[in-house]
Amino acid sequence: GGAMTLLSMIDADQGSSTGIEFQQVFSSDYDHYRVLGCFNIGSLSGQDIRFRWLNSSNTEQTVAQYYGCASGFEKRSAASGAFDYGEYGADYSTIGSDVRGGSYYRKITLDMTLFPDAYASNTYSNIQWQIGYYKHNSGSETAAFANGMNSYTQTADLSGGGIKLYLSANNWDFVTCGLYGIKTVT
């Protein structure tokens, strides 16, 4: 078992912001972390939600050492199908590919578990995540769900660091998202 402690919360219209950042949240007080959130995105379709680690100076870790894989299912009004995607060596991890916006509802939910290995060097820091969304736009409905894992070959100290989520093509409309520290009880 364990206890979750809220370390940081974003509850705002992000407007023209290019990303959601939880800065300087990692400490030796917690074994791992969890991000729970819901948000809307802008009207452009086919966006990726991207993830980067931040170090203690809030510098984005962008070296080509991210790895990822995911699978999911999408259901539309006329067709449905499974999908998968992966990446190797990108300067970010993809958390949801081809996430669709629209002029009506854009409700996205995200659940991430973070293992930053913040106090070791040259190790794999990783995340496990699941994302779901629903879109309704003039009778064209889409519901989708995906889950995946992503890892990062750590070359920088992440102690005292955090994370950034950002979109490939547009701005966030509204965000309610919290980052929690989890301490394992033994």
Side-chain angles (χ1 to χ4, degrees):
M4 290 175 52
T5 302
L6 179 63
L7 303 179
S8 183
M9 173 66 79
I10 297 172
D11 187 4
D13 184 347
Q14 295 297 97
S16 61
S17 172
T18 58
I20 299 168
E21 293 189 2
F22 293 102
Q23 300 178 353
Q24 300 173 339
V25 290
F26 300 147
S27 76
S28 58
D29 293 338
Y30 302 99
D31 298 313
H32 56 284
Y33 303 84
R34 191 166 180 192
V35 174
L36 298 173
C38 60
F39 44 86
N40 295 349
I41 63 174
S43 59
L44 295 180
S45 295
Q47 301 181 74
D48 294 340
I49 298 175
R50 297 173 175 175
F51 172 96
R52 284 179 177 162
W53 297 102
L54 304 174
N55 66 19
S56 61
S57 299
N58 303 321
T59 301
E60 298 174 29
Q61 303 304 293
T62 59
V63 294
Q65 293 180 310
Y66 285 92
Y67 308 83
C69 61
S71 62
F73 183 84
E74 182 177 82
K75 173 67 175 177
R76 302 188 195 185
S77 57
S80 62
F83 59 87
D84 60 78
Y85 58 90
E87 59 196 358
Y88 172 82
D91 65 355
Y92 56 85
S93 287
T94 300
I95 311 298
S97 179
D98 193 26
V99 176
R100 297 172 180 273
S103 58
Y104 290 90
Y105 301 106
R106 304 174 297 278
K107 305 301 183 187
I108 298 170
T109 60
L110 179 65
D111 185 345
M112 301 173 60
T113 302
L114 309 171
F115 302 90
D117 286 337
Y119 292 88
S121 60
N122 299 317
T123 59
Y124 282 95
S125 296
N126 71 85
I127 58 176
Q128 300 171 24
W129 58 271
Q130 60 184 16
I131 187 170
Y133 66 88
Y134 174 75
K135 168 194 169 184
H136 174 78
N137 188 351
S138 301
S140 175
E141 294 84 20
T142 299
F145 174 83
N147 56 38
M149 293 186 66
N150 306 75
S151 63
Y152 170 67
T153 306
Q154 188 168 307
T155 58
D157 184 4
L158 296 179
S159 58
I163 66 168
K164 177 177 181 176
L165 296 170
Y166 65 102
L167 296 171
S168 60
N170 205 1
N171 296 323
W172 308 95
D173 279 355
F174 194 84
V175 176
T176 303
C177 195
L179 187 143
Y180 299 81
I182 300 174
K183 182 68 174 177
T184 301
V185 177
T186 58

